Amino acid sequence: IVSLMLFCGLRSCEVRAIQISDIDFEGGAIKVRGKGNKERMLPLIQDIMTTLKKYIQFERPPLFFSNILFTIQKGGNRGLPMTEEGLRSLFRYRRHLSGISKANPHRFRHTFGTDMARSGVRLPTLQKMMGHADGKTTLGYISLSITDIAEEYHRAMNKIRKSYETIKN
């Protein structure tokens, strides 16, 4: 769940809506149902696909008739789709165990946006990946430091300087 939020930028409701049939293990992609039931396809890295395969094989209740990927693991509701409250409870429990008080689904989504921007992903691409209708919304997820800005500036200036040197020669 955390990998899908942190490395794919998924909302908690999007993670809970994933169906096993949404995962294309051959093509390395996942179909995501976002706000307004809009669908988008996202690539998956091998680490996430391996984790999902292991989850399906070892953790998901057997003989469960639903196609929903993430289910309740214990108790009388075992095998039913995970609820929003169940996901929040899981995060509270894990935060308590780890001592990481600020780990939550929405923070992971913000981290994804910032990490992608720092890695050079262009805004229109990031907007599509995050399922935003407006690029302004996507910009709200990006938190860049002055160091990030300075690095981008110097990288751009080096390119510009080289282009002028080519003209001079």
Side-chain angles (χ1 to χ4, degrees):
I1 291 173
V2 171
S3 292
L4 289 167
M5 293 174 173
L6 189 59
F7 301 123
C8 296
L10 301 190
R11 300 171 178 100
S12 59
C13 62
E14 293 171 339
V15 168
R16 290 184 308 100
I18 295 171
Q19 299 180 19
I20 293 173
S21 58
D22 293 334
I23 305 166
D24 177 3
F25 287 108
E26 300 260 333
I30 188 167
K31 183 186 343 177
V32 178
R33 285 169 201 78
K35 287 186 176 178
N37 212 25
K38 293 180 185 172
E39 292 183 357
R40 65 188 189 276
M41 291 297 289
L42 291 173
L44 290 175
I45 59 172
Q46 187 60 50
D47 291 347
I48 294 175
M49 289 193 301
T50 300
T51 300
L52 289 173
K53 284 178 185 176
K54 287 180 180 177
Y55 169 78
I56 291 167
Q57 183 179 0
F58 298 115
E59 296 292 329
R60 198 164 180 280
L63 304 174
F64 182 52
F65 300 108
S66 173
N67 193 26
I68 293 290
L69 178 63
F70 294 109
T71 60
I72 298 169
Q73 298 293 312
K74 297 178 181 177
N77 292 326
R78 185 173 194 265
L80 293 177
M82 181 180 288
T83 63
E84 184 65 27
E85 178 52 38
L87 184 63
R88 269 187 270 169
S89 176
L90 180 64
F91 269 88
R92 273 193 305 271
Y93 176 72
R94 293 294 176 180
R95 278 194 304 266
H96 175 73
L97 285 181
S98 68
I100 303 172
S101 63
K102 295 184 179 185
N104 65 61
H106 206 64
R107 185 170 299 265
F108 291 139
R109 189 163 159 81
H110 277 269
T111 300
F112 170 79
T114 299
D115 286 348
M116 289 289 120
R118 282 182 177 147
S119 298
V121 172
R122 294 177 308 132
L123 183 61
T125 303
L126 184 56
Q127 177 184 340
K128 290 265 188 208
M129 292 170 74
M130 295 185 78
H132 292 148
D134 188 344
K136 290 178 186 173
T137 305
T138 308
L139 284 173
Y141 280 81
I142 300 170
S143 176
L144 300 177
S145 69
I146 188 63
T147 304
D148 297 319
I149 295 166
E151 286 175 6
E152 283 290 310
Y153 172 80
H154 291 297
R155 190 166 47 96
M157 289 308 295
N158 285 336
K159 279 185 181 179
I160 292 167
R161 197 173 316 124
K162 286 179 184 175
S163 70
Y164 284 125
E165 288 173 3
T166 305
I167 294 171
K168 236 190 322 189
N169 296 331

